[in-house]
Structures are given as C-alpha cells and as structure tokens.
Amino acid sequence: MTEGHGRYSRREVLQLSGQVVGLAAVGALVAGGTNAVTQPPPGPVVDPVHLDPLKLTVDMIRFDTSHNGEGGVTVPHAEMLKSMWDAVGAQTEIIPTPKSDNAHFIARVPSAVRDARPLLLLCHSDVVSVEADRWSVDPYRGEVRDGWVYGRGALDMKGTNAAFMAALLRHLREGTQFDRDIIFLSDCDE
C-alpha cells in the first residue's frame, strides 16, 4: 500500500493482477511447454473450448509489438487475434493507423438485447521496448519458470488479454448468450 493514501500503487496493482493471471495460467498449465520461436505462425488452428490461457499468453508475448512512442508493429498480432475470434463467429475488424504495420483490433459479440449498453474489455497489444542486457531470458520468448511467465507484456498487458480472450472464446463456443454486446478491443497503443 502507498503511504497514507489507502490505495495501491500502479506497480502493486500490476503485480497483484499478474499474480492473479499467473495463478489462472498455472491452473491451466499443461505438461510439455511451448515452442521457442520468436513469432508464432499467423492463423493458428484454434479450439476455443480447449484454449489454454497460458499458451495464448506465451503466443502473444512472442509477437514483438514494442516501441518507444512511435507505434509498434501490431498487425501480425491483430491478425492472430482476428483468426481466433473469427473461429467463433464474432464480428471482427482490424483498423489500421497512419503508421505502417500498426493497427487496432476489435471483436464484437452481439447480443439479442439491443437497448443494453455494451461491455467494453479494453486491452492493448503494444509493449515498451526492452534493454536486452537487463533480461535474464529472451523477452519475446514467453518462458514459463516456477509457475511464472517471463516476457515483455506478461503483466502489462498480454497476460490479461489472454485471460479475457480465453474466457470469452470458451463461453462463445459453448453457446453462451450475453445480455449485452461484448466488445474486445486490443488497442495498438495504450
């Protein structure tokens, strides 16, 4: 807790949310591990019912979406997200920005209720660039060690993106109907 304010600092919130996502990922951890490539192939075969949030987190980390304020290369990441949401029939759109290879991704799950305000799950796909010499692991590998995911974006915010997606994609595959539209936005720059 921060001194005298009775609130958590941003770092404490990120650490706590990372622990929650880490616990969820540990619960979903399947023996075997992941392939150590820098970029996953576009358009993976997706079974949202058996979607592993840990694997999805690692797959997201493997996209180098880093930048120092000029906007990262997020189109390949957005294309992966699109393929997964398309597999369950969501309305999807990749929205380019003026910067080449930089785009927002939106998935909308419509409900039968038209007058209810939608629920927005706001995420971002970009990450701050790294100083490689300060890392003990490849920051874009998504290494799992002792129940923790190490990689750029594990806490902010690809781990959270994966948790949101895994839960929603599973509900959609199981036929869940929501009482309002659900919008998943992976913004290209927080």
Side-chain angles (χ1 to χ4, degrees):
M1 293 269 264
T2 56
E3 295 277 325
H5 295 291
R7 293 187 214 154
Y8 289 98
S9 70
R10 182 174 190 265
R11 178 175 296 279
E12 290 168 323
V13 168
L14 289 174
Q15 287 173 337
L16 181 60
S17 65
Q19 290 171 0
V20 170
V21 170
L23 289 173
V26 169
L29 183 58
V30 180
T34 57
N35 189 356
V37 295
T38 303
Q39 298 283 337
V45 176
V46 178
D47 178 3
V49 172
H50 299 102
L51 185 62
D52 178 359
L54 176 60
K55 181 183 181 314
L56 183 55
T57 298
V58 169
D59 287 347
M60 287 181 180
I61 289 170
R62 289 183 177 174
F63 284 94
D64 180 352
T65 58
S66 65
H67 68 96
N68 290 319
E70 73 284 355
V73 175
T74 60
V75 169
H77 183 265
E79 289 170 345
M80 179 192 74
L81 300 181
K82 183 175 182 353
S83 71
M84 299 175 93
W85 286 97
D86 284 347
V88 295
Q91 300 169 358
T92 61
E93 185 175 4
I94 294 176
I95 302 170
T97 69
K99 183 188 183 301
S100 177
D101 296 323
N102 187 258
H104 308 287
F105 171 75
I106 297 176
R108 187 178 195 111
V109 180
S111 74
V113 181
R114 289 289 157 218
D115 59 345
R117 293 176 64 171
L119 172 65
L120 172 65
L121 299 175
L122 176 60
C123 306
H124 62 86
S125 58
D126 68 314
V127 295
V128 177
S129 62
V130 301
E131 296 174 24
D133 60 330
R134 298 185 70 173
W135 285 75
S136 62
V137 298
D138 179 344
Y140 301 107
R141 183 170 171 220
E143 184 174 325
V144 179
R145 188 188 307 162
D146 298 324
W148 291 92
V149 180
Y150 292 85
R152 178 56 90 201
L155 287 178
D156 186 16
M157 127 162 251
K158 292 178 178 180
T160 304
N161 296 3
F164 283 160
M165 278 187 63
L168 281 169
L169 291 174
R170 181 173 182 145
H171 281 299
L172 290 172
R173 183 60 139 227
E174 291 174 349
T176 301
Q177 296 293 312
F178 298 102
D179 65 354
R180 65 195 64 246
D181 287 9
I182 308 293
I183 301 168
F184 176 90
L185 169 59
S186 184
D187 191 77
C188 63
D189 190 349
E190 70 176 307

